[in-house]
Amino acid sequence: MLNFQWKNSLERSWADLAIAFLTENEYESATSSISRWKKNFPDSQYPVFFDAIVEYARGNIDDAISKVEKFLQYDQDNVTGLIFYYYLNLKSENMKQAQEIFTRVLKKSYRPENVYQILGDILLRSMDLKGAIKFYRKSLVFAPENARLWAAMGLAFTKLHRYEDAEIALQRAEKLAKTEDELAQAAVYFLLSGKHKKALEIYAASETTEIDNTLFWINKGLAHYLNHDTQQAKDCWEQILQINPDHPYAHYNLGCFYINNNDFDTGWEHIEKALKFSPFFIKRAKIDHDVKTLLAKPEFAEKLEKITTE
């Protein structure tokens, strides 16, 4: 619910990729993704906002404030930017400034529950999960029957490994949801708790609204993969490459698919692209059971060694 108007699905994919790396606490990889985003979309102001999210995730509040101020120079009335600016000033104990910003947002006919939900969404993306839950709860005071809010809070609890709390929130979301797509964020809980078919039901219902969301296709593919629907998983990850041909998660997962099907050359072609994108995938490859099968072959182990020393 960040209310950004992406130029196209490719631009959104760079934002989603930065968030995926933040979920792994891979700040350098997130920053690298944002740099590529800037190169692909030099006229877009949104990478600067995501720079601010990364700085906040690192704990650099002053730097985050500086980035948001730069973002607001492009669009001084951007509500999402103003809401984050409000919160960062709160964190810095600039109470007068924070109150002035909050009043400014409310004057734009934004209700408090919307402000708190957007702030929860920002903090969820920066992996400040306790902060996200705090503001989702504030929003629910005003909108207790908002199924999407309950689902988002369930996702935050899931990422904190507080599965009992996640289940309670998601049961509430299921009860309130009028359509299955309102539970889109709940699918991750079902995915991680082994209820792959339930996750796939939600993903199927959400496909129309999430068609440009590469994180959606990563997770839907993983649900298929864990449900032993490997061809459907492959289709999902190939869908990502239709949006962003450089997407490293898609290449990595497709590499694992081909390795498991004994097509080692094609598997390496995909894995190599992920490895060259970010050191995160090099670390992952060294412990991943699927990739270990490939690296047991001397010719591919040598290729990996060459990449790590470049």
Side-chain angles (χ1 to χ4, degrees):
M1 194 181 171
L2 296 186
N3 296 330
F4 288 163
Q5 299 296 317
W6 309 112
K7 287 185 171 61
N8 51 39
S9 56
L10 175 60
E11 182 179 22
R12 178 178 176 173
S13 77
W14 289 113
D16 290 340
L17 187 55
I19 297 306
F21 281 125
L22 280 180
T23 300
E24 308 279 0
N25 294 318
E26 289 285 333
Y27 305 126
E28 293 301 329
S29 296
T31 299
S32 175
S33 297
I34 295 169
S35 295
R36 292 178 185 236
W37 177 3
K38 291 174 181 176
K39 188 176 292 186
N40 278 271
F41 294 90
D43 297 327
S44 177
Q45 69 271 30
Y46 297 139
V48 179
F49 183 83
F50 278 75
D51 278 333
I53 290 180
V54 173
E55 292 302 332
Y56 174 72
R58 288 178 181 270
N60 302 329
I61 303 298
D62 289 343
D63 289 339
I65 289 175
S66 176
K67 297 291 186 184
V68 173
E69 288 175 342
K70 183 178 179 181
F71 171 72
L72 289 171
Q73 288 175 7
Y74 292 107
D75 185 358
Q76 63 181 354
D77 293 321
N78 185 282
V79 172
T80 301
L82 287 170
I83 290 170
F84 196 26
Y85 193 36
Y86 150 73
Y87 179 70
L88 292 171
N89 276 278
L90 272 185
K91 294 287 285 186
S92 294
E93 299 184 353
N94 299 326
M95 299 305 179
K96 182 179 179 182
Q97 174 87 331
Q99 186 56 52
E100 288 175 355
I101 298 166
F102 192 77
T103 301
R104 184 176 165 188
V105 171
L106 293 182
K107 284 182 178 179
K108 295 180 178 297
S109 301
Y110 256 73
R111 298 170 62 86
E113 60 264 38
N114 300 129
V115 173
Y116 295 137
Q117 183 174 0
I118 290 173
L119 189 47
D121 288 343
I122 293 170
L123 298 185
L124 180 66
R125 284 158 175 78
S126 68
M127 289 300 286
D128 180 357
L129 302 174
K130 292 180 180 179
I133 290 166
K134 172 185 174 181
F135 284 100
Y136 286 141
R137 281 177 165 156
K138 281 178 174 284
S139 186
L140 285 166
V141 170
F142 297 92
E145 297 189 356
N146 186 323
R148 294 184 190 275
L149 263 176
W150 284 104
M153 190 162 71
L155 175 59
F157 279 127
T158 299
K159 290 187 174 186
L160 279 171
H161 308 294
R162 291 171 55 179
Y163 297 116
E164 289 185 7
D165 291 324
E167 187 171 3
I168 292 169
L170 296 174
Q171 284 175 348
R172 184 68 175 156
E174 283 191 281
K175 184 176 179 180
L176 293 169
K178 295 180 175 62
T179 58
E180 198 85 7
D181 71 289
E182 293 180 74
L183 303 175
Q185 295 191 86
V188 173
Y189 165 78
F190 294 111
L191 179 59
L192 295 179
S193 60
K195 301 174 183 176
H196 307 138
K197 290 185 178 179
K198 177 63 178 176
L200 286 168
E201 288 176 11
I202 295 173
Y203 286 133
S206 308
E207 191 166 309
T208 301
T209 57
E210 301 292 339
I211 192 73
D212 293 333
N213 183 346
T214 51
L215 294 178
F216 168 87
W217 290 109
I218 290 170
N219 290 328
K220 186 183 181 191
L222 181 58
H224 276 301
Y225 198 77
L226 294 173
N227 200 48
H228 308 293
D229 310 323
T230 56
Q231 183 59 49
Q232 290 93 323
K234 175 175 175 284
D235 292 343
C236 289
W237 297 328
E238 286 179 338
Q239 173 70 22
I240 297 170
L241 296 183
Q242 293 295 316
I243 297 170
N244 185 342
D246 297 323
H247 201 290
Y249 280 91
H251 282 297
Y252 189 91
N253 291 348
L254 283 166
C256 292
F257 168 85
Y258 283 109
I259 292 167
N260 281 324
N261 283 275
N262 297 316
D263 185 347
F264 297 115
D265 289 327
T266 305
W268 173 255
E269 286 176 13
H270 286 287
I271 292 291
E272 183 181 29
K273 290 176 181 177
L275 299 179
K276 288 184 174 180
F277 190 97
S278 165
F280 165 71
F281 291 101
I282 295 175
K283 292 185 289 184
R284 188 167 178 176
K286 290 180 177 179
I287 60 173
D288 192 309
H289 174 75
D290 293 330
V291 183
K292 277 185 176 181
T293 303
L294 180 71
L295 298 181
K297 299 181 178 300
E299 64 270 32
F300 295 113
E302 289 174 10
K303 290 179 179 180
L304 173 62
E305 182 63 24
K306 184 178 178 181
I307 290 174
T308 59
T309 56
E310 284 179 348

